[in-house]
Amino acid sequence: MDYNIDLDNITVLREKGIDLLFQFGPILLKSLILLLVGRYAIRLLMKLFGKTLEKYEIDPSLATFFKSFLNALLWVLLLISVATTLGMEMTSFVAILGAAGLAVGLALQGSLSNFAGGVLILVFKPFRVGDTIEAQGTIGEVESIDILYTKIKNFDNKVVTIPNGALANNSMINYSQKPTRRVEIKVGVAYGTDLKKTRNIILEVLKLDQRIHADPEPLVKFVNFGDSSLDLIVRVWVDSENLWPVYWDNIEAIKEAFEQQEIEIPFPQRTVHHLYSEGK
């Protein structure tokens, strides 16, 4: 008797399972196909969108931001379509989505701030991809500007990720925005050195470098009585990309010119006086 009941129950469950399969199987299959086709379509659209941006030479910063935003929007639309196909009512889904959005918004206030910061950066353009900037204790080249974060490659080839909110709301130095930069070299010579002669030697060295601009003209000025030296400042203007090569080449050339002209480059010294006579 028990065995018959169990068999009857199994038969009923099997029939219900078959009914459910025929009832919901096509819907699940249709939703799965929609998800796979939609995923492929999003990839295809993103490739086409990327090529369009390249064709019209859109700024790389804006291009990265637009692609990230469009990709997120397409995925939201796809998920809504899949949910609708599964039989979920749109009004219910929108209500759930709104409640979830509110909860996520409260939990991710920092991310929303970063999103707003990214929009401000792309609108006002304080820097672009490829610029060298200093921000949040990091100096390096901007690699990408995404929806929430900006990636900076420093001079050690390390990538630093900085939230856009911090970049948009704090001070930042852009070393690439202007086409020219000023090179500053500090020079020290021994006390008793002829400053006019020293200045002329430095100016002659600077004249040999074609990368240095004639206007504004190079400047060499005496600025300080140091502990062991007379301190001079050398200032020249160059194209931004030549800043460090000009600095390195000319500081070495000035040192060699001083040696040839017997201009003494001082080093810290101390004079010791003996207070007692010899032998005591």
Side-chain angles (χ1 to χ4, degrees), residues 97-268:
L97 189 63
L102 178 61
V104 171
L106 292 173
L108 301 177
Q109 293 182 28
S111 296
L112 294 177
S113 173
N114 293 336
F115 177 80
V119 172
L120 291 174
I121 289 171
L122 292 172
V123 170
F124 294 104
K125 293 182 174 57
F127 58 85
R128 302 169 183 265
V129 172
D131 284 357
T132 299
I133 68 172
E134 179 179 353
Q136 300 297 299
T138 298
I139 302 176
E141 179 183 340
V142 178
E143 276 202 333
S144 65
I145 304 172
D146 298 325
I147 290 179
L148 301 178
Y149 300 97
T150 292
K151 293 181 179 179
I152 299 176
K153 182 179 70 176
N154 65 18
F155 298 130
D156 294 331
N157 207 32
K158 299 174 183 175
V159 177
V160 181
T161 302
I162 301 178
N164 287 335
L167 286 174
N169 297 315
N170 291 281
S171 60
M172 180 271 304
I173 301 174
N174 190 331
Y175 293 105
S176 303
Q177 198 167 43
K178 298 297 183 181
T180 59
R181 294 274 305 280
R182 189 181 72 185
V183 179
E184 186 171 285
I185 303 174
K186 296 179 181 179
V187 178
V189 295
Y191 276 90
T193 303
D194 186 341
L195 291 180
K196 290 185 178 179
K197 177 182 177 182
T198 302
R199 183 181 292 109
N200 290 333
I201 292 172
I202 295 174
L203 289 173
E204 289 299 320
V205 170
L206 299 177
K207 285 181 182 178
L208 299 177
D209 194 334
Q210 300 298 319
R211 296 168 296 184
I212 295 176
H213 295 180
D215 185 22
E217 63 181 7
L219 179 71
V220 181
K221 291 293 183 180
F222 171 62
V223 293
N224 184 49
F225 293 95
D227 292 339
S228 305
S229 64
L230 299 173
D231 299 330
L232 297 95
I233 195 76
V234 180
R235 291 175 176 172
V236 297
W237 287 87
V238 299
D239 294 338
S240 295
E241 62 270 18
N242 292 329
L243 185 141
W244 287 112
V246 167
Y247 176 87
W248 291 323
D249 292 346
N250 283 278
I251 196 170
E252 183 175 346
I254 290 172
K255 185 257 185 187
E256 293 175 353
F258 281 180
E259 291 177 347
Q260 292 175 0
Q261 298 296 326
E262 297 182 349
I263 299 294
E264 183 181 352
I265 300 175
F267 52 89

Side-chain angles (χ1 to χ4, degrees), residues 31-126:
S31 300
L32 180 61
I33 292 174
L34 178 62
L35 180 62
L36 295 175
V37 173
R39 181 183 177 186
Y40 175 78
I42 288 175
R43 289 182 179 179
L44 182 60
L45 286 172
M46 292 306 301
K47 288 182 180 180
L48 293 174
F49 185 64
K51 290 181 180 179
T52 303
L53 294 176
E54 291 178 2
K55 178 181 178 181
Y56 290 98
E57 298 181 352
I58 301 299
D59 183 88
S61 305
L62 286 171
T64 302
F65 183 85
F66 285 153
K67 286 190 287 186
S68 300
F69 184 78
L70 179 62
N71 185 63
L73 180 61
L74 290 174
W75 270 104
V76 169
L77 293 176
L78 177 59
L79 292 177
I80 292 175
S81 300
V82 171
T84 304
T85 304
L86 287 172
M88 185 178 293
E89 294 184 6
M90 183 59 66
T91 54
S92 301
F93 185 79
V94 170
I96 294 173
L97 189 63
L102 178 61
V104 171
L106 292 173
L108 301 177
Q109 293 182 28
S111 296
L112 294 177
S113 173
N114 293 336
F115 177 80
V119 172
L120 291 174
I121 289 171
L122 292 172
V123 170
F124 294 104
K125 293 182 174 57

